[in-house]
Amino acid sequence: MQDDILYGRNPVLEALEANHPIDKIFLQEGLRHTQIGKIRNLAKERGIRYQMTDKRKLDQLTEGENHQGVVIFCAAHRYCALEDILKAAEAKGEAPFVVLCDGITDPHNLGSIIRTANAAGAHGVIIPKNRSAALNATVSKVSAGAVEHMLVSKVSNLGQAIEKLKKAGLWIAGTDLSAPQTHWESDLKGPIGIVIGSEGEGISRIVRNACDFLVKIPMIGEIESLNASVAAGVLLYEAVRQRISEK
């Protein structure tokens, strides 16, 4: 059983009341109980998604343990506000360097991206509430501890988050194979946000339209795309190279 799962009415209620970071709640459909209703209300108050499902799925998640009709996925790390990332850059006297993940649903990819972002000196990583892996135990393990040092903000709308960053003075670079310029031909210095899309679909249309410019990583061989975390490493370290050369 995964170590980021918690189940049982009392433990779940205690986690909610203690404001523990929670990513998702599964509730057994058709089950009527005062504590289940309280869990649902607390989830609504905190803006936590909950999903009604059948008992069989809950049995599978808990490997047959007595879940009492409720299972939650706990975050391995607390999220921060988007503004906290900008404040962290300001406190260091550095131009903001931010990574935005669009559609990164594989926790291994997200963990690797967070690890690379930390190594590259990024000030924070931004993920959407939907269509994204959460900060679970797998992400924490793959990041090799980087999640403990990296500010991660979970936002309701990635497009709106991009607009906030642009108002704060950041330029937003998206990745797209049809972009007119390569990553090394692009200016990635100064206040910058780099969007990493999913390996299969890339960045979404709405996010692509919100970007200031698009860059591409040349694909010379037969393979048409890179793993998302590998692409992140290529792009972030080109930004590092440019930022260092500017000093």
Side-chain angles (χ1 to χ4, degrees):
M1 188 160 50
Q2 302 177 61
D3 55 7
D4 53 343
I5 281 183
L6 188 66
Y7 54 87
R9 295 167 195 158
N10 285 329
V12 168
L13 273 173
E14 289 174 8
L16 281 164
E17 290 171 346
N19 207 32
H20 188 87
I22 296 169
D23 283 312
K24 193 168 185 180
I25 302 176
F26 288 96
L27 297 173
Q28 184 177 323
E29 55 192 11
L31 191 62
R32 304 190 188 284
H33 192 281
T34 303
Q35 286 179 307
I36 296 294
K38 189 174 181 180
I39 289 169
R40 188 187 294 114
N41 291 336
L42 283 171
K44 287 180 179 178
E45 289 175 13
R46 289 189 51 191
I48 301 170
R49 292 179 298 155
Y50 68 86
Q51 179 180 325
M52 308 305 295
T53 189
D54 57 27
K55 182 177 182 295
R56 184 172 59 179
K57 178 165 185 177
L58 299 184
D59 289 342
Q60 291 174 344
L61 290 173
T62 60
E63 297 180 357
E65 295 289 335
N66 183 19
H67 48 71
Q68 298 181 310
V70 57
V71 173
I72 64 175
F73 283 79
C74 304
H77 183 72
R78 290 189 181 274
Y79 298 102
C80 71
L82 186 150
E83 291 76 15
D84 292 332
I85 295 175
L86 299 178
K87 290 177 182 176
E90 183 181 5
K92 292 183 177 180
E94 299 172 348
F97 183 16
V98 180
V99 182
L100 300 98
C101 298
D102 183 23
I104 306 298
T105 57
D106 184 346
H108 293 86
N109 268 336
L110 182 58
S112 293
I113 290 171
I114 291 174
R115 180 175 183 175
T116 302
N118 175 262
H123 299 106
V125 173
I126 299 172
I127 64 174
K129 282 187 176 180
N130 300 319
R131 292 181 64 248
S132 175
L135 294 186
N136 58 26
T138 301
V139 171
S140 180
K141 182 177 180 180
V142 174
S143 78
V147 73
E148 300 300 326
H149 306 284
M150 177 58 59
L151 292 174
V152 179
S153 177
K154 180 187 273 191
V155 298
S156 299
N157 186 300
L158 202 58
Q160 291 177 3
I162 287 174
E163 292 306 319
K164 286 184 179 179
L165 293 175
K166 289 164 75 170
K167 287 181 180 178
L170 278 75
W171 289 83
I172 307 299
T175 50
D176 194 300
L177 285 174
S178 63
Q181 56 190 3
T182 64
H183 59 299
W184 63 71
E185 294 171 321
S186 308
D187 187 354
L188 303 178
K189 302 185 293 294
I192 189 80
I194 297 177
V195 185
I196 307 298
S198 65
E199 184 175 347
E201 301 176 4
I203 60 177
S204 64
R205 178 183 57 82
I206 293 175
V207 170
R208 183 185 295 108
N209 291 341
C211 292
D212 290 302
F213 60 96
L214 299 173
V215 302
K216 65 181 177 183
I217 300 173
M219 303 302 298
I220 299 169
E222 286 71 32
I223 301 301
E224 295 183 354
S225 65
L226 292 174
N227 172 277
S229 61
V230 174
V234 172
L235 292 165
L236 296 185
Y237 268 90
E238 173 58 23
V240 169
R241 185 192 68 79
Q242 293 185 22
R243 293 163 79 88
I244 290 176
S245 65
E246 187 181 41
K247 293 180 179 179

